[in-house]
Amino acid sequence: MCGRYTLRTNPQRIAEQFELAELPLLTVRYNIAPSQSVGAIYATRNSSGSIVRRWAEFSWGLLPAWSESSTGGQRPINARSETAAEKPTFREAFRRRRCLIPADGFYEWRREGKEREPFYFTLRDEGLFAFAGLFEIWQAVPGQASPDDVASCTILTTEANGLLREFHDRMPVILEPQDYAAWLDPTVEDAARVQPLCRSLDAEKMQHWPVSQRVNGPKRDEPECIRPFRQPRLFD
DNA sequence: CCAGACGTTGTT
DNA sequence: GTCTGG
DNA sequence: CCAGACGTTGTT
DNA sequence: GTCTGG
């Protein structure tokens, strides 16, 4: 669930909405897939004590800090927001390494028997939004930074709203803009204070339409992925 | 005690 | 069928 | 999430 | 690293 998404908003708008000091370096994406590098915003406290937002790129699929190697093993692309604060794999990240993962749409597949039909979901105005994410820095040499370190992330999920319900029980957590600061604040280490921000976005704020099977191929990163598409019907 | 898992979704 | 890669 | 591979030895 | 299962 939530295994593909888009980010086609320009860097200026991303910098404005997420209050970044510098323009993020990115290209237009119509088909972002797990294992790929994804843009995200996280926050740190600088020497004078104020919160600074930073742009980062994380490999999508969280590599736990205790993994013995950077290859193999599980790389969860999603984490349940209701339980992530307790799970060994996500607990520390939930306490201290929360991030915003900017997006302007995501894909879900509707199953009908063996058939899978992809749909594209956006906000009603197709505007920019943010998934709630967690990140982790896996260190090749424990305790020190090295070129082989791996920065990775995962997208939190919650109960599906009425629109997503016909596809899945779950949907990605899309944060309200007024909650960005609290979610990012690394000094808030009490998970109970930020976990309530992980709610299902109102169905009324979203829209969706069917798209072609083109999006199935993870290498098909092109505008046609989001184009409205009606499946051919045998007896229309 | 040590060994082995540590995740999600959806489907059967 | 199941695992890996994108 | 879906697509594509799923293997070895030896040679380049 | 920490928790669960044997």
Side-chain angles (χ1 to χ4, degrees), chain A residues 142-203:
Chain A
Q144 77 179 58
S146 86
D148 296 327
D149 291 354
V150 177
S152 63
C153 67
T154 193
I155 293 174
L156 292 168
T157 66
T158 185
E159 189 180 358
N161 66 21
L163 185 62
L164 271 296
R165 193 85 208 177
E166 84 178 87
F167 294 77
H168 293 304
D169 290 345
R170 311 286 300 170
M171 67 177 285
V173 172
I174 294 171
L175 292 171
E176 299 285 355
Q178 66 265 26
D179 294 333
Y180 291 168
W183 180 255
L184 289 177
D185 191 339
T187 64
V188 178
E189 297 191 359
D190 181 2
R193 283 177 55 193
V194 286
Q195 203 232 310
L197 306 181
C198 296
R199 297 184 301 270
S200 309
L201 192 71
D202 287 347

Side-chain angles (χ1 to χ4, degrees), chain A residues 65-111:
Chain A
W66 40 259
S67 296
E68 290 192 4
S69 86
S70 61
T71 59
Q74 298 290 3
R75 298 285 299 266
I77 63 170
N78 297 124
R80 294 178 67 93
S81 59
E82 300 91 334
T83 57
E86 286 84 44
K87 299 280 187 184
T89 299
F90 304 119
R91 190 175 57 193
E92 278 306 298
F94 203 106
R95 267 167 52 84
R96 295 139 49 82
R97 288 182 292 276
R98 298 180 298 270
C99 63
L100 301 176
I101 299 174
D104 36 40
F106 61 94
Y107 300 97
E108 295 289 352
W109 281 256
R110 181 162 69 192
R111 292 177 157 81

Side-chain angles (χ1 to χ4, degrees), chain A residues 26-69:
Chain A
L26 51 84
T27 58
V28 173
R29 297 293 308 277
Y30 293 89
N31 193 359
I32 298 170
S35 82
Q36 297 177 352
S37 177
V38 304
I41 294 108
Y42 70 102
T44 54
R45 217 169 240 290
N46 68 15
S47 51
S48 59
S50 53
I51 301 286
V52 180
R53 292 189 185 183
R54 297 221 162 92
W55 178 257
E57 293 203 353
F58 298 131
S59 165
W60 185 12
L62 191 139
L63 180 67
W66 40 259
S67 296
E68 290 192 4
S69 86

